[in-house]
């Protein structure tokens, strides 16, 4: 079983591996391969562990998520961030008796 998983995953990037895991195509291959030895039913891949840290490519990461940059600086530049309120020194908001 581990040979089938290693063969399927070794030549793929993370996005392709996820697209193979979602419809359980790897689990179906395991079920077919092991059916000659013993008939298996309900074969599922339950957990996936990343053993090796993937390469960090910022441009490719942004393409996958569909973002071109951070949204926080854009709001501050456009004036949608709000206005600064001036308050006297020692100001404390009044305490409400009920809410």
């Amino acid at each position: 079983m581990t040979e089938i998983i290693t063969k399927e995953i070794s030549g793929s990037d993370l996005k392709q591996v996820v697209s193979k895991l979602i419809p359980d195509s790897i689990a179906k291959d395991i079920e077919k391969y092991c059916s000659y030895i013993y008939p298996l039913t309900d074969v599922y891949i339950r957990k996936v562990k990343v053993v090796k840290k993937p390469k960090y490519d910022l441009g490719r990461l942004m393409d996958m998520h569909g973002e071109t940059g951070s949204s926080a600086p854009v709001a501050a530049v456009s004036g949608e961030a709000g206005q600064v309120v001036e308050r006297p020194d020692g100001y404390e908001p009044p305490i409400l008796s009920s809410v």
Side-chain angles (χ1 to χ4, degrees):
M1 286 188 249
T2 57
E3 294 91 14
I4 295 170
I5 295 171
T6 306
K7 181 184 74 169
E8 291 286 332
I9 292 176
S10 64
S12 305
D13 62 346
L14 186 62
K15 192 172 186 179
Q16 292 173 346
V17 170
V18 171
S19 66
K20 289 180 182 179
L21 288 173
I22 290 175
D24 278 338
S25 64
I26 298 174
K28 290 177 186 174
D29 291 341
I30 292 171
E31 188 175 345
K32 287 179 192 175
Y33 183 76
C34 294
S35 67
Y36 302 115
I37 301 168
Y38 189 81
L40 297 175
T41 58
D42 299 330
V43 177
Y44 300 107
I45 296 176
R46 185 175 60 168
K47 290 185 179 182
V48 178
K49 182 178 181 180
V50 177
V51 177
K52 183 179 164 187
K53 181 180 172 185
K55 296 177 189 173
Y56 180 71
D57 186 11
L58 182 62
R60 193 166 172 207
L61 180 68
M62 291 300 169
D63 290 340
M64 286 177 59
H65 292 290
E67 297 177 4
T68 57
S70 177
S71 61
V74 175
V77 171
S78 64
E80 297 174 7
Q83 297 177 354
V84 178
V85 177
E86 297 293 329
R87 294 193 174 146
D89 292 334
Y91 173 79
E92 291 187 23
I95 300 173
L96 300 174
S97 60
S98 65
V99 179

